[in-house]
Amino acid sequence: MRLRWPWVLLIAILPLFGWWTYGLFDLDEGFYAAVASEMNRRGEWITPYYNGKPWFEKPILLYWLAKPAIALFGEMVGPRLPSILATAGTILLIGFYLRKRHSVEAGNWAALVYGTGLLVVATGRMMLTDPLLVLCLTGAFLTFWESLVGDRRWRVASAGLLGLGVLAKGPVAGLLFVLVVGIAFWRQPELRWASRGGWLAGTAVFAIVVSSWYVPAYLANGQLFVQKFLIEQNLGRFTGGDQAHTLGPEGLLVYPAVLLVGMLPWSIRMLRRRTETPGGKAFEQYLWTWFLVVFGFFSISGAKLPHYILPAIPPLAMLIALRLPKREPGWGSLAWTLGIWAFAQFGFSLYYYGGFGLPGFHAEVHRLARYVRENAKPEDTVALYQLSRRDRALGTGKPKIQETSHPSLMLYLGRSTVDTDEMDRILEQPRPVWIITRWNRIEGMKRVETPFEQNLYALYRID
Protein backbone atom coordinates (compact mmCIF):
# COMPACT_ATOMS: atom_id res chain seq x y z
CA MET A 1 0.00 0.00 0.00
CA ARG A 2 1.26 3.45 -0.90
CA LEU A 3 1.16 6.35 1.51
CA ARG A 4 -0.44 9.68 0.75
CA TRP A 5 1.43 12.93 1.47
CA PRO A 6 -0.19 13.68 4.87
CA TRP A 7 0.78 10.22 6.08
CA VAL A 8 4.31 10.56 4.72
CA LEU A 9 4.67 13.89 6.52
CA LEU A 10 3.33 12.46 9.78
CA ILE A 11 5.70 9.48 9.61
CA ALA A 12 8.65 11.75 8.82
CA ILE A 13 8.10 13.92 11.91
CA LEU A 14 7.19 11.00 14.20
CA PRO A 15 10.76 10.55 15.56
CA LEU A 16 10.55 14.03 17.08
CA PHE A 17 7.67 13.17 19.40
CA GLY A 18 8.36 12.57 23.07
CA TRP A 19 10.75 15.47 23.59
CA TRP A 20 8.68 16.59 26.60
CA THR A 21 9.24 13.35 28.57
CA TYR A 22 12.74 14.29 29.79
CA GLY A 23 14.36 17.52 30.88
CA LEU A 24 17.16 19.62 29.45
CA PHE A 25 20.77 18.58 29.01
CA ASP A 26 23.77 20.73 29.84
CA LEU A 27 25.63 22.65 28.59
CA ASP A 28 24.14 24.19 25.43
CA GLU A 29 20.47 23.48 26.09
CA GLY A 30 20.87 24.64 29.64
CA PHE A 31 22.37 27.98 28.63
CA TYR A 32 19.73 28.71 25.98
CA ALA A 33 16.81 27.81 28.25
CA ALA A 34 18.27 29.77 31.16
CA VAL A 35 18.68 32.84 28.95
CA ALA A 36 15.15 32.65 27.56
CA SER A 37 13.75 32.13 31.07
CA GLU A 38 15.66 35.10 32.50
CA MET A 39 14.61 37.30 29.59
CA ASN A 40 11.02 36.40 30.43
CA ARG A 41 11.53 37.38 34.06
CA ARG A 42 13.10 40.67 33.04
CA GLY A 43 10.58 41.42 30.29
CA GLU A 44 13.62 41.74 28.00
CA TRP A 45 13.55 41.34 24.19
CA ILE A 46 16.92 42.74 23.04
CA THR A 47 19.77 41.80 25.38
CA PRO A 48 20.13 38.10 26.29
CA TYR A 49 20.93 37.64 29.98
CA TYR A 50 22.43 34.72 31.81
CA ASN A 51 22.52 34.80 35.61
CA GLY A 52 22.26 38.56 35.73
CA LYS A 53 24.79 39.46 33.02
CA PRO A 54 24.53 40.04 29.24
CA TRP A 55 25.27 36.81 27.36
CA PHE A 56 26.07 37.09 23.66
CA GLU A 57 27.05 33.57 22.66
CA LYS A 58 24.16 33.32 20.19
CA PRO A 59 21.89 35.79 18.38
CA ILE A 60 18.30 36.43 19.27
CA LEU A 61 15.97 34.29 17.13
CA LEU A 62 15.96 31.22 19.37
CA TYR A 63 15.19 33.37 22.40
CA TRP A 64 12.43 35.27 20.61
CA LEU A 65 10.75 31.95 19.84
CA ALA A 66 11.53 30.20 23.13
CA LYS A 67 10.31 33.02 25.37
CA PRO A 68 6.61 32.67 24.47
CA ALA A 69 6.93 28.89 24.15
CA ILE A 70 8.20 28.59 27.73
CA ALA A 71 5.65 31.09 29.02
CA LEU A 72 2.75 29.26 27.35
CA PHE A 73 3.77 25.60 27.58
CA GLY A 74 6.10 25.39 30.56
CA GLU A 75 9.59 24.10 31.21
CA MET A 76 9.14 20.61 29.72
CA VAL A 77 7.41 21.36 26.40
CA GLY A 78 8.40 24.95 25.73
CA PRO A 79 12.22 25.09 25.52
CA ARG A 80 12.57 22.55 22.71
CA LEU A 81 9.45 23.55 20.80
CA PRO A 82 11.26 25.98 18.41
CA SER A 83 13.66 23.20 17.36
CA ILE A 84 10.82 20.74 16.90
CA LEU A 85 8.84 23.13 14.72
CA ALA A 86 11.92 24.16 12.72
CA THR A 87 12.85 20.54 12.01
CA ALA A 88 9.28 19.71 11.01
CA GLY A 89 9.27 22.82 8.81
CA THR A 90 12.43 21.70 7.00
CA ILE A 91 10.90 18.25 6.42
CA LEU A 92 7.79 19.85 4.97
CA LEU A 93 9.77 22.32 2.86
CA ILE A 94 12.10 19.91 1.07
CA GLY A 95 9.37 17.34 0.61
CA PHE A 96 6.89 19.82 -0.81
CA TYR A 97 9.48 21.43 -3.08
CA LEU A 98 10.59 18.17 -4.70
CA ARG A 99 6.96 17.08 -5.09
CA LYS A 100 6.28 20.33 -6.93
CA ARG A 101 9.43 20.62 -9.05
CA HIS A 102 10.32 16.97 -9.70
CA SER A 103 8.04 14.13 -8.69
CA VAL A 104 5.69 13.07 -5.93
CA GLU A 105 7.90 10.08 -5.20
CA ALA A 106 11.06 12.17 -4.85
CA GLY A 107 9.31 14.60 -2.51
CA ASN A 108 7.98 11.84 -0.31
CA TRP A 109 11.39 10.20 -0.10
CA ALA A 110 13.12 13.50 0.68
CA ALA A 111 10.83 14.09 3.65
CA LEU A 112 11.45 10.58 4.98
CA VAL A 113 15.21 10.63 4.39
CA TYR A 114 15.65 13.91 6.23
CA GLY A 115 13.15 13.17 9.00
CA THR A 116 14.62 9.76 9.88
CA GLY A 117 18.32 10.66 9.79
CA LEU A 118 19.84 10.03 13.23
CA LEU A 119 21.64 13.38 13.38
CA VAL A 120 18.49 15.26 12.36
CA VAL A 121 16.40 13.45 14.96
CA ALA A 122 18.99 14.05 17.69
CA THR A 123 19.38 17.77 17.03
CA GLY A 124 15.69 18.26 16.32
CA ARG A 125 14.82 16.98 19.79
CA MET A 126 17.13 19.47 21.53
CA MET A 127 16.99 23.20 22.20
CA LEU A 128 19.62 24.36 19.71
CA THR A 129 20.06 27.19 17.25
CA ASP A 130 21.01 24.84 14.40
CA PRO A 131 17.51 23.61 13.42
CA LEU A 132 16.43 27.25 13.03
CA LEU A 133 19.49 28.03 10.90
CA VAL A 134 18.81 24.98 8.74
CA LEU A 135 15.19 25.93 8.12
CA CYS A 136 16.12 29.50 7.21
CA LEU A 137 19.02 28.52 4.94
CA THR A 138 17.03 25.75 3.25
CA GLY A 139 14.21 28.19 2.57
CA ALA A 140 16.68 30.80 1.29
CA PHE A 141 18.42 28.40 -1.10
CA LEU A 142 15.20 26.89 -2.45
CA THR A 143 13.42 30.21 -2.95
CA PHE A 144 16.53 31.58 -4.63
CA TRP A 145 16.51 28.67 -7.06
CA GLU A 146 12.83 29.29 -7.64
CA SER A 147 13.67 32.91 -8.48
CA LEU A 148 16.10 31.64 -11.13
CA VAL A 149 13.76 29.17 -12.82
CA GLY A 150 10.41 30.81 -12.03
CA ASP A 151 9.25 34.12 -10.61
CA ARG A 152 12.20 36.34 -9.66
CA ARG A 153 10.12 37.93 -6.91
CA TRP A 154 11.01 34.89 -4.82
CA ARG A 155 14.40 36.58 -4.42
CA VAL A 156 12.88 38.92 -1.87
CA ALA A 157 11.70 35.91 0.15
CA SER A 158 15.24 34.52 -0.07
CA ALA A 159 16.59 37.74 1.40
CA GLY A 160 14.11 37.71 4.26
CA LEU A 161 14.87 34.07 5.09
CA LEU A 162 18.58 34.73 4.91
CA GLY A 163 18.15 37.62 7.34
CA LEU A 164 16.36 35.28 9.73
CA GLY A 165 19.26 32.84 9.32
CA VAL A 166 21.62 35.58 10.49
CA LEU A 167 19.34 36.14 13.50
CA ALA A 168 19.40 32.39 14.12
CA LYS A 169 23.17 31.85 14.21
CA GLY A 170 25.02 34.92 13.07
CA PRO A 171 26.83 36.15 9.94
CA VAL A 172 27.80 32.58 8.97
CA ALA A 173 24.38 32.28 7.30
CA GLY A 174 25.10 35.16 4.94
CA LEU A 175 28.63 33.93 4.22
CA LEU A 176 27.39 30.44 3.31
CA PHE A 177 24.75 31.89 1.00
CA VAL A 178 27.29 34.08 -0.83
CA LEU A 179 29.70 31.16 -1.24
CA VAL A 180 27.06 28.74 -2.53
CA VAL A 181 25.48 31.20 -4.97
CA GLY A 182 28.86 32.46 -6.21
CA ILE A 183 30.21 28.97 -6.87
CA ALA A 184 26.90 27.90 -8.43
CA PHE A 185 27.11 30.78 -10.91
CA TRP A 186 30.72 29.83 -11.69
CA ARG A 187 29.87 26.15 -12.24
CA GLN A 188 26.58 26.82 -14.06
CA PRO A 189 27.03 29.89 -16.28
CA GLU A 190 23.55 29.40 -17.72
CA LEU A 191 22.10 30.60 -14.42
CA ARG A 192 23.69 34.04 -14.61
CA TRP A 193 21.21 35.59 -17.03
CA ALA A 194 18.32 34.58 -14.77
CA SER A 195 19.92 36.26 -11.75
CA ARG A 196 19.28 39.80 -12.97
CA GLY A 197 16.88 41.99 -11.03
CA GLY A 198 15.52 41.89 -7.52
CA TRP A 199 18.86 42.40 -5.77
CA LEU A 200 18.20 45.92 -4.53
CA ALA A 201 14.86 45.00 -2.96
CA GLY A 202 16.37 41.81 -1.57
CA THR A 203 19.28 43.65 -0.01
CA ALA A 204 16.90 46.11 1.61
CA VAL A 205 14.76 43.30 3.07
CA PHE A 206 17.85 41.48 4.33
CA ALA A 207 19.16 44.64 5.98
CA ILE A 208 15.83 45.38 7.64
CA VAL A 209 15.51 41.87 9.08
CA VAL A 210 19.09 41.77 10.39
CA SER A 211 18.87 45.30 11.76
CA SER A 212 15.77 44.42 13.76
CA TRP A 213 18.12 43.02 16.42
CA TYR A 214 21.70 43.94 15.55
CA VAL A 215 21.06 47.68 15.70
CA PRO A 216 19.15 47.81 19.03
CA ALA A 217 21.57 45.24 20.53
CA TYR A 218 24.53 47.44 19.61
CA LEU A 219 22.79 50.59 20.85
CA ALA A 220 22.00 48.91 24.17
CA ASN A 221 25.39 47.26 24.71
CA GLY A 222 27.94 49.05 22.53
CA GLN A 223 31.44 47.57 22.34
CA LEU A 224 30.44 44.64 24.56
CA PHE A 225 28.16 43.40 21.76
CA VAL A 226 30.89 43.82 19.12
CA GLN A 227 33.59 42.07 21.15
CA LYS A 228 31.60 39.23 22.67
CA PHE A 229 29.27 38.41 19.80
CA LEU A 230 30.82 39.48 16.49
CA ILE A 231 34.49 38.89 17.29
CA GLU A 232 34.64 36.12 19.89
CA GLN A 233 31.57 34.06 19.04
CA ASN A 234 31.65 34.30 15.24
CA LEU A 235 35.14 35.07 13.97
CA GLY A 236 36.80 33.38 16.95
CA ARG A 237 34.95 30.08 16.62
CA PHE A 238 35.67 29.74 12.90
CA THR A 239 39.39 30.43 13.34
CA GLY A 240 39.76 27.99 16.23
CA GLY A 241 39.24 30.31 19.17
CA ASP A 242 36.85 27.80 20.74
CA GLN A 243 39.59 25.54 22.16
CA ALA A 244 37.13 23.16 23.82
CA HIS A 245 35.76 22.07 20.43
CA THR A 246 38.84 22.48 18.24
CA LEU A 247 40.62 19.52 16.68
CA GLY A 248 43.85 19.24 14.71
CA PRO A 249 44.30 17.92 11.16
CA GLU A 250 42.36 14.82 12.12
CA GLY A 251 39.31 17.10 12.29
CA LEU A 252 39.01 16.82 8.49
CA LEU A 253 37.77 13.26 9.01
CA VAL A 254 35.08 14.20 11.52
CA TYR A 255 32.25 15.25 9.23
CA PRO A 256 32.56 12.43 6.66
CA ALA A 257 32.12 10.04 9.59
CA VAL A 258 29.29 12.11 11.08
CA LEU A 259 27.36 12.15 7.80
CA LEU A 260 27.95 8.47 7.13
CA VAL A 261 26.66 7.43 10.55
CA GLY A 262 24.18 10.27 11.07
CA MET A 263 22.37 9.56 7.80
CA LEU A 264 22.32 5.75 7.95
CA PRO A 265 20.93 3.82 6.14
CA TRP A 266 20.30 6.55 3.58
CA SER A 267 23.94 7.63 3.23
CA ILE A 268 24.85 4.42 1.39
CA ARG A 269 22.26 5.31 -1.26
CA MET A 270 24.62 7.98 -2.56
CA LEU A 271 26.50 5.13 -4.24
CA ARG A 272 23.54 4.46 -6.51
CA ARG A 273 23.51 5.70 -10.09
CA ARG A 274 21.66 8.98 -10.48
CA THR A 275 18.03 8.66 -11.54
CA GLU A 276 17.19 11.09 -14.33
CA THR A 277 14.28 13.43 -13.69
CA PRO A 278 12.79 15.88 -16.20
CA GLY A 279 14.63 19.20 -15.93
CA GLY A 280 16.47 17.91 -12.87
CA LYS A 281 20.12 17.97 -13.97
CA ALA A 282 20.68 21.70 -13.34
CA PHE A 283 18.93 21.51 -9.98
CA GLU A 284 21.03 18.51 -8.95
CA GLN A 285 24.19 20.47 -9.80
CA TYR A 286 22.89 23.27 -7.60
CA LEU A 287 22.22 20.78 -4.79
CA TRP A 288 25.74 19.40 -5.10
CA THR A 289 27.20 22.89 -4.90
CA TRP A 290 25.05 23.67 -1.88
CA PHE A 291 26.07 20.45 -0.11
CA LEU A 292 29.79 20.54 -0.93
CA VAL A 293 30.28 24.22 -0.06
CA VAL A 294 28.61 23.86 3.34
CA PHE A 295 30.42 20.58 3.99
CA GLY A 296 33.78 22.09 3.03
CA PHE A 297 33.21 25.25 5.03
CA PHE A 298 32.59 23.45 8.30
CA SER A 299 35.32 20.88 7.60
CA ILE A 300 38.01 23.58 7.48
CA SER A 301 36.48 25.53 10.36
CA GLY A 302 38.47 25.39 13.58
CA ALA A 303 35.62 24.53 15.98
CA LYS A 304 33.79 21.27 15.37
CA LEU A 305 30.70 19.72 16.91
CA PRO A 306 28.56 17.08 15.17
CA HIS A 307 25.52 19.36 14.76
CA TYR A 308 27.50 22.10 13.00
CA ILE A 309 27.24 20.11 9.75
CA LEU A 310 23.43 20.04 9.89
CA PRO A 311 22.94 22.72 7.14
CA ALA A 312 24.52 20.30 4.65
CA ILE A 313 21.91 17.60 5.23
CA PRO A 314 18.83 19.07 3.39
CA PRO A 315 20.58 19.11 -0.02
CA LEU A 316 22.06 15.69 0.75
CA ALA A 317 18.60 14.34 1.62
CA MET A 318 17.20 15.67 -1.67
CA LEU A 319 20.10 14.17 -3.64
CA ILE A 320 19.52 10.82 -1.95
CA ALA A 321 15.78 11.03 -2.69
CA LEU A 322 16.52 11.50 -6.39
CA ARG A 323 18.45 8.21 -6.34
CA LEU A 324 15.76 6.16 -4.67
CA PRO A 325 13.31 4.00 -6.67
CA LYS A 326 10.56 5.80 -8.56
CA ARG A 327 7.84 4.51 -6.32
CA GLU A 328 6.11 5.99 -3.32
CA PRO A 329 7.17 4.86 0.18
CA GLY A 330 5.13 2.02 1.62
CA TRP A 331 4.15 1.02 5.12
CA GLY A 332 7.60 -0.46 5.60
CA SER A 333 8.77 3.11 6.06
CA LEU A 334 6.56 3.34 9.14
CA ALA A 335 8.32 0.34 10.71
CA TRP A 336 11.74 1.91 10.11
CA THR A 337 10.58 5.24 11.50
CA LEU A 338 9.19 3.61 14.63
CA GLY A 339 12.58 1.99 15.14
CA ILE A 340 14.33 5.36 14.87
CA TRP A 341 11.81 6.90 17.29
CA ALA A 342 12.26 4.09 19.83
CA PHE A 343 16.06 4.36 19.58
CA ALA A 344 16.01 8.15 20.09
CA GLN A 345 13.43 8.08 22.86
CA PHE A 346 15.22 5.33 24.77
CA GLY A 347 18.64 6.92 24.32
CA PHE A 348 17.63 10.40 25.42
CA SER A 349 15.60 9.10 28.38
CA LEU A 350 18.44 6.82 29.46
CA TYR A 351 20.93 9.68 29.39
CA TYR A 352 18.59 11.91 31.40
CA TYR A 353 17.13 9.49 33.96
CA GLY A 354 20.00 6.99 34.11
CA GLY A 355 20.06 3.21 34.09
CA PHE A 356 22.16 0.36 32.69
CA GLY A 357 25.23 1.80 34.39
CA LEU A 358 24.62 5.41 33.37
CA PRO A 359 24.10 7.93 36.21
CA GLY A 360 20.90 9.96 36.02
CA PHE A 361 22.70 13.13 37.03
CA HIS A 362 20.47 15.54 35.09
CA ALA A 363 17.28 14.13 36.60
CA GLU A 364 18.67 14.26 40.14
CA VAL A 365 20.02 17.81 40.05
CA HIS A 366 16.81 19.05 38.42
CA ARG A 367 14.77 17.44 41.21
CA LEU A 368 16.88 19.38 43.71
CA ALA A 369 16.26 22.60 41.80
CA ARG A 370 12.50 22.07 41.76
CA TYR A 371 12.56 21.29 45.50
CA VAL A 372 14.38 24.58 46.17
CA ARG A 373 11.99 26.49 43.92
CA GLU A 374 9.02 25.14 45.86
CA ASN A 375 10.49 25.69 49.33
CA ALA A 376 12.76 28.75 49.13
CA LYS A 377 11.27 32.22 49.59
CA PRO A 378 11.87 34.89 46.93
CA GLU A 379 14.25 36.75 49.25
CA ASP A 380 16.35 33.63 49.98
CA THR A 381 19.77 33.20 48.35
CA VAL A 382 20.44 30.19 46.15
CA ALA A 383 24.04 29.20 45.51
CA LEU A 384 25.59 26.69 43.10
CA TYR A 385 28.86 25.53 44.60
CA GLN A 386 31.68 23.81 42.70
CA LEU A 387 29.50 22.10 40.14
CA SER A 388 32.14 22.25 37.39
CA ARG A 389 34.71 19.47 37.18
CA ARG A 390 37.90 19.88 39.16
CA ASP A 391 39.95 18.37 36.34
CA ARG A 392 40.14 21.28 33.90
CA ALA A 393 41.62 19.25 31.03
CA LEU A 394 39.53 19.65 27.90
CA GLY A 395 37.20 16.74 27.32
CA THR A 396 36.66 16.94 23.55
CA GLY A 397 36.85 13.53 21.93
CA LYS A 398 36.89 11.63 25.23
CA PRO A 399 34.24 8.93 25.84
CA LYS A 400 34.02 9.61 29.59
CA ILE A 401 31.13 11.78 30.75
CA GLN A 402 32.75 14.90 32.17
CA GLU A 403 31.49 16.89 35.14
CA THR A 404 29.99 20.17 33.99
CA SER A 405 28.25 23.16 35.43
CA HIS A 406 24.47 23.12 35.15
CA PRO A 407 23.11 26.31 33.56
CA SER A 408 19.78 24.52 33.12
CA LEU A 409 19.26 24.98 36.88
CA MET A 410 18.40 28.63 36.24
CA LEU A 411 15.33 27.49 34.31
CA TYR A 412 14.16 25.02 36.95
CA LEU A 413 14.96 27.33 39.85
CA GLY A 414 13.24 30.26 38.17
CA ARG A 415 15.83 32.74 39.50
CA SER A 416 19.44 33.85 39.26
CA THR A 417 21.99 32.29 41.61
CA VAL A 418 25.39 32.78 43.17
CA ASP A 419 27.50 30.44 41.03
CA THR A 420 30.92 30.11 42.66
CA ASP A 421 33.78 27.81 43.61
CA GLU A 422 34.54 29.82 46.77
CA MET A 423 32.74 29.12 50.04
CA ASP A 424 33.72 32.54 51.42
CA ARG A 425 31.58 34.19 48.76
CA ILE A 426 28.61 32.07 49.80
CA LEU A 427 29.09 32.94 53.45
CA GLU A 428 28.94 36.63 52.54
CA GLN A 429 25.42 36.30 51.11
CA PRO A 430 22.22 37.24 52.98
CA ARG A 431 20.77 34.30 54.92
CA PRO A 432 19.25 31.85 54.50
CA VAL A 433 21.38 30.39 51.69
CA TRP A 434 20.38 27.23 49.84
CA ILE A 435 23.42 25.43 48.38
CA ILE A 436 23.27 22.93 45.52
CA THR A 437 26.56 21.11 45.01
CA ARG A 438 28.03 17.73 44.19
CA TRP A 439 27.95 14.96 46.79
CA ASN A 440 31.67 15.23 47.69
CA ARG A 441 32.22 19.00 47.76
CA ILE A 442 31.21 19.83 51.36
CA GLU A 443 32.07 17.86 54.49
CA GLY A 444 30.78 18.20 58.03
CA MET A 445 27.51 19.93 57.15
CA LYS A 446 24.10 18.34 57.47
CA ARG A 447 22.14 18.00 54.26
CA VAL A 448 18.60 19.24 53.82
CA GLU A 449 16.27 16.26 53.98
CA THR A 450 14.36 15.75 50.73
CA PRO A 451 11.67 13.21 49.74
CA PHE A 452 14.14 11.68 47.26
CA GLU A 453 17.67 10.37 47.59
CA GLN A 454 20.72 12.60 47.12
CA ASN A 455 23.34 10.39 45.53
CA LEU A 456 25.28 12.46 43.02
CA TYR A 457 24.38 15.89 44.38
CA ALA A 458 23.63 17.39 47.78
CA LEU A 459 21.44 20.18 49.10
CA TYR A 460 22.46 22.28 52.11
CA ARG A 461 20.99 25.30 53.85
CA ILE A 462 22.80 27.92 55.95
CA ASP A 463 20.45 29.88 58.24
Side-chain angles (χ1 to χ4, degrees):
M1 180 182 293
R2 293 181 177 182
L3 299 175
R4 295 184 180 273
W5 172 238
W7 282 106
V8 171
L9 186 60
L10 179 61
I11 291 174
I13 66 175
L14 178 62
L16 300 174
F17 283 85
W19 80 89
W20 60 85
T21 60
Y22 48 84
L24 296 170
F25 302 118
D26 293 304
L27 292 170
D28 287 353
E29 281 198 304
F31 278 122
Y32 303 149
V35 170
S37 177
E38 183 163 349
M39 290 179 74
N40 271 344
R41 295 196 301 271
R42 289 173 172 267
E44 177 66 56
W45 286 94
I46 299 301
T47 302
Y49 278 89
Y50 172 73
N51 206 20
K53 297 180 180 179
W55 196 80
F56 285 110
E57 285 208 11
K58 289 296 182 291
I60 202 66
L61 186 60
L62 177 61
Y63 307 133
W64 278 351
L65 297 175
K67 276 167 50 65
I70 293 173
L72 291 173
F73 301 106
E75 63 191 30
M76 296 299 287
V77 174
R80 294 185 174 116
L81 191 58
S83 291
I84 296 294
L85 295 178
T87 304
T90 304
I91 293 169
L92 174 63
L93 181 59
I94 64 174
F96 178 80
Y97 192 83
L98 281 193
R99 284 171 61 92
K100 175 186 175 183
R101 277 294 180 186
H102 289 268
S103 67
V104 169
E105 295 85 0
N108 289 349
W109 282 118
L112 285 173
V113 169
Y114 187 80
T116 58
L118 290 176
L119 183 61
V120 173
V121 173
T123 54
R125 292 170 67 111
M126 298 180 70
M127 186 183 185
L128 297 171
T129 57
D130 302 84
L132 296 174
L133 173 66
V134 171
L135 175 60
C136 295
L137 276 181
T138 302
F141 284 127
L142 291 180
T143 53
F144 185 75
W145 178 261
E146 191 68 17
S147 77
L148 297 176
V149 299
D151 191 337
R152 69 180 55 184
R153 287 177 294 184
W154 281 105
R155 207 157 297 159
V156 176
S158 302
L161 288 164
L162 187 60
L164 290 174
V166 173
L167 295 184
K169 203 160 183 177
V172 65
L175 179 58
L176 288 174
F177 186 83
V178 169
L179 290 173
V180 170
V181 170
I183 295 176
F185 284 169
W186 172 66
R187 293 185 64 219
Q188 299 172 260
E190 69 277 9
L191 298 179
R192 298 172 190 170
W193 70 269
S195 66
R196 298 176 181 176
W199 291 98
L200 183 60
T203 301
V205 169
F206 173 79
I208 290 171
V209 173
V210 172
S211 299
S212 67
W213 179 66
Y214 276 65
V215 171
Y218 173 74
L219 293 176
N221 299 276
Q223 189 59 32
L224 177 66
F225 171 74
V226 174
Q227 179 64 34
K228 291 295 184 181
F229 179 69
L230 295 178
I231 296 178
E232 294 183 12
Q233 295 302 321
N234 288 277
L235 181 61
R237 281 179 180 267
F238 179 76
T239 57
D242 182 7
Q243 294 297 321
H245 303 130
T246 297
L247 299 175
E250 69 276 11
L252 294 175
L253 302 177
V254 168
Y255 289 132
V258 168
L259 287 180
L260 179 63
V261 175
M263 290 296 290
L264 283 174
W266 309 109
S267 50
I268 60 176
R269 293 287 187 166
M270 289 305 296
L271 302 176
R272 293 177 59 95
R273 182 174 59 87
R274 179 173 58 87
T275 302
E276 294 288 347
T277 54
K281 185 176 181 180
F283 182 62
E284 286 195 48
Q285 288 180 321
Y286 179 72
L287 290 178
W288 273 114
T289 301
W290 174 1
F291 166 69
L292 291 173
V293 169
V294 175
F295 176 81
F297 178 88
F298 287 107
S299 292
I300 65 174
S301 172
K304 286 182 174 64
L305 284 174
H307 56 270
Y308 287 177
I309 200 63
L310 198 64
I313 294 184
L316 181 62
M318 288 186 276
L319 286 166
I320 292 172
L322 294 173
R323 283 162 170 74
L324 290 172
K326 288 187 176 181
R327 65 171 186 269
E328 295 185 15
W331 286 106
S333 301
L334 175 59
W336 168 252
T337 305
L338 287 173
I340 294 294
W341 172 82
F343 179 79
Q345 185 68 20
F346 176 77
F348 276 83
S349 298
L350 181 65
Y351 184 61
Y352 184 79
Y353 291 106
F356 297 96
L358 282 177
F361 58 94
H362 281 109
E364 181 176 328
V365 75
H366 291 168
R367 280 195 296 267
L368 283 177
R370 291 189 180 98
Y371 180 85
V372 172
R373 183 180 66 191
E374 294 170 358
N375 291 277
K377 297 178 181 179
E379 62 271 18
D380 293 357
T381 301
V382 178
L384 308 181
Y385 177 62
Q386 292 190 2
L387 288 181
S388 298
R389 62 180 181 266
R390 288 173 170 171
D391 177 11
R392 298 297 181 178
L394 298 178
T396 301
K398 297 180 180 179
K400 180 182 177 181
I401 296 177
Q402 300 285 332
E403 291 181 348
T404 68
S405 61
H406 288 291
S408 59
L409 293 178
M410 311 302 177
L411 172 71
Y412 298 110
L413 287 166
R415 66 169 75 197
S416 296
T417 67
V418 177
D419 191 352
T420 181
D421 289 342
E422 301 175 2
M423 180 56 72
D424 288 344
R425 186 180 172 199
I426 292 177
L427 296 177
E428 293 172 353
Q429 303 301 315
R431 310 291 177 88
V433 181
W434 300 76
I435 305 173
I436 298 177
T437 187
R438 295 186 181 274
W439 66 275
N440 59 350
R441 298 298 201 252
I442 297 178
E443 297 181 359
M445 186 183 299
K446 184 178 180 181
R447 296 182 181 184
V448 174
E449 293 186 4
T450 56
F452 47 84
E453 293 185 357
Q454 301 175 36
N455 296 317
L456 303 173
Y457 298 87
L459 177 63
Y460 300 93
R461 174 174 163 143
I462 303 177
D463 293 312

